[in-house]
Amino acid sequence: MSEFEYVRNCWYPIGFSEEFETSKLKGLKIADKPVVVWRTEEGEVVAFDDRCCHKRFPLSESKLLDNGNLECAYHGLQYDSSGQCVEIPSQADRPIPKQAHLRNIPVCEQDRIVWMWPGDPSACEGIAPPRTQEAVDENLTAMPLPQVVHSPSNYLLLIENLLDISHFYPLHDGNIGDRANSDIPVQLEEGEQDGFKYVRTIREVENYKQPPYFREWFHYEVIDRVHTHTMVTPGLTRVVMNVAPPGQLGTDMERGYTLLHLHYPVDKSNLVWRILISSRKGHTPLNDTSRSTTQAIADMFHAVVAEDEWALERQQKMMEYPDEGYSELFLGSDAALRRARQIMLSMQRAERQAEPAPRRVRVAQETIA
Ligand code: FES
Ligand SMILES: [Fe+2]
């Protein structure tokens, strides 16, 4: 674990589409890279290295002009929405040096999510972000949790947390905590989809008596249930729960939810985490028809998230001590976590090996002539 930092060559979700207002600059750090992002007047989201190519002033703290150009707040270099420098006030009578452009960071907007590829841009050719159809399906009520979590922990700890329901008791005791959950047998499924290896846990149970909070969300007292947790990519973990009275899964009686966990590494010890909750349109809790099931889940979920944050932050602190003879214990219930970690470590190793040696920095002669 300690050798793991992050995977660079991956599409990571940097926000929901509605978070990117036209002509509003946003700055973020992803995989140790400072990035400036904005939505152009034409509606496209564009992203570049946040450092002005002159003296590294942060462009996310600069200004978009009425003509759509980005003007650096230090000496006024202007860039168009392709990242090309188009004006240098201090030498307006000279040609623009060819080094005067910003490094483009690949961005893709799909299914209400804006994705970013912080690694080698040539490596994303032919690879699309995973679909998140739940975010745009008209038959569902889909709602992002209002809080965006910034946690001082490595994002692999979060992915492991999301694949692991054996921590529901005791960490989530009192809300989604349910000791009986830990007794449900876990099947592990692995595969590859759209260029990414995935890991899925499947828990199937029949004639299960639902704990009170699930009964309130999904109505029935005794159910058959299929509960899956999937690391789709290092940027997306999908949790699906479907329940129905015994023998009725797959019929109109089915109820349930999907949680999309959208996460990216800020650096090796910080992450950003967003959650989208969805359930069938028209479904309401058992005793409160004034709000949707999605809303009811959202109303309690921030408490669950706070408990996970509490644990992740503490784990990260302990990760930072040298191992010195410490060795981690893997239990039977950790099989999916272990595979997820192996997959991400092998992705990291492969891309680090493929990296070219660092180039020497050259001073652009024409800019100082
Ligand atoms: S640092 Fe941006 S114009 Fe000089
Ligand atoms: Fe949790």
Side-chain angles (χ1 to χ4, degrees), residues 161-162 164 167-168 171-172 176 273 304-305 307-308:
N161 169 292
L162 297 172
D164 162 29
H167 76 272
F168 281 22
L171 187 64
H172 299 305
I176 60 168
W273 174 22
V304 179
V305 169
E307 286 161 356
D308 286 322

